[in-house]
Amino acid sequence: MKLWLAALCLALAGGSAQAGCGADPEPCRLADGEYHALLPKAGGQGAPVVLWLHGAGSNGGNAVRNAALMEALTGRGYAVLAPTGSRQFGERGASWNFLPGWEGRDETDFLRRAVADASARFGTDAKSVLLAGFSAGGFMVTYLACTAPETFAAYAPVSGGFWRPLPDGCAGPVRLFQTHGWADRTVPLEGRVLRSGEFEQGDIFQGMELWRQANGCAGQDPTAYGETGIFWRRKWEDCAAGSALELALFPGGHTVPEGWVDMVLDWFESLEIP
């Protein structure tokens, strides 16, 4: 765990560049943004994709400098696309335009075009895409999955969910795996108030209720419980065809924990995706 956290801290702080646009040291550029691309050893042709969204104050370049996370993903044969959010956060950082009513770049459209661009450049599989993200990236994953679940094959927010007021409902069905730290103080499970009430993070469990409704699950209580390493897992199976819903908690704080990659990719690969 300590090595994993050290790698994550190094990534957020800077470190030496490890990726750009495949073999090109510069990021892949679109008219309204950029993304970094890491390919597996076998190359990009036909490779499934993890579209990874950074946290607030970071960017795509920092994201791919997290060697532990990136090597775990590419080692499973996945191409990693790490775009940079469109909203400025801090002096040199970025975040995502996820809250309804905010003006600016249509992130859903941008991320869709980034996936299409990577497919044209590297031959990656534009249909086998897992959209995942940490913290503010997890917020972006959550809102995109809620409003446009058909955009990507599945969704995996880490340490991020909805903000209050929560949406009245979400489109569905959706394939979603929520992961959160039991001791997270940056994005507590119950949410918290920021900027003297200007913003208020939502309750992760209330968000799970929205996902159950979107997936037409027959009951509130999980149909299966399990453990994978440090993770405590809850699964809903009595839901609409084509949907998938799980929650995993771990005894830690605001981080991407060691073991998350294999757990979530095992889940993703078990899904029946048209």
Side-chain angles (χ1 to χ4, degrees):
M1 179 72 79
K2 291 182 179 179
L3 291 175
W4 184 271
L5 291 175
L8 179 60
C9 291
L10 176 62
L12 295 177
S16 58
Q18 294 183 355
C21 188
D24 188 336
E26 294 298 315
C28 306
R29 300 191 187 279
L30 303 178
D32 53 352
E34 66 180 36
Y35 68 92
H36 286 70
L38 275 175
L39 303 178
K41 288 184 178 180
Q45 190 63 44
V49 172
V50 172
L51 184 56
W52 177 254
L53 308 187
H54 62 77
S58 190
N59 54 57
N62 282 344
V64 297
R65 294 185 186 108
N66 184 346
L69 178 61
M70 295 298 117
E71 289 172 6
L73 293 168
T74 58
R76 290 279 300 251
Y78 285 75
V80 181
L81 309 182
T84 296
S86 63
R87 294 181 68 89
Q88 183 174 349
F89 192 96
E91 293 184 1
R92 292 181 293 177
S95 191
W96 300 93
N97 194 38
F98 58 83
L99 275 183
W102 278 355
E103 296 182 355
R105 186 175 74 186
D106 181 338
E107 304 285 30
T108 299
D109 177 65
F110 170 73
L111 294 173
R112 185 186 295 115
R113 286 185 286 111
V115 167
D117 184 77
S119 182
R121 290 177 189 263
F122 310 116
T124 51
D125 188 345
K127 292 185 177 180
S128 184
V129 178
L130 173 65
L131 179 64
F134 171 67
S135 193
F139 300 146
M140 185 68 241
V141 172
T142 298
Y143 279 93
L144 194 156
C146 180
T147 58
E150 74 288 347
T151 305
F152 302 115
Y155 302 88
V158 183
S159 303
F162 291 106
W163 290 65
R164 290 187 173 95
L166 272 68
D168 292 331
C170 290
V174 64
R175 305 176 190 92
L176 185 135
F177 195 116
Q178 177 86 48
T179 306
H180 214 95
W182 184 259
D184 193 332
R185 295 188 177 187
T186 303
V187 184
L189 282 164
E190 299 81 5
R192 67 180 177 125
V193 174
L194 300 172
R195 295 186 184 178
S196 301
E198 182 180 0
F199 297 105
E200 187 174 357
Q201 295 168 350
D203 187 298
I204 295 298
F205 291 102
Q206 288 183 335
M208 295 304 297
E209 174 69 7
L210 284 179
W211 298 128
R212 290 193 295 270
Q213 292 173 356
N215 282 356
C217 299
Q220 294 176 323
D221 54 319
T223 53
Y225 299 81
E227 295 182 14
T228 300
I230 64 171
F231 299 95
W232 308 317
R233 299 174 62 172
R234 304 159 72 90
K235 182 178 182 180
W236 288 263
E237 299 168 302
D238 53 351
C239 307
S243 69
L245 185 60
E246 286 203 37
L247 169 66
L249 300 176
F250 62 93
H254 196 64
T255 187
V256 182
E258 187 173 3
W260 175 82
V261 169
D262 283 333
M263 176 182 66
V264 169
L265 292 186
D266 286 347
W267 169 80
F268 182 59
E269 293 168 6
S270 74
L271 300 176
E272 294 184 6
I273 299 173

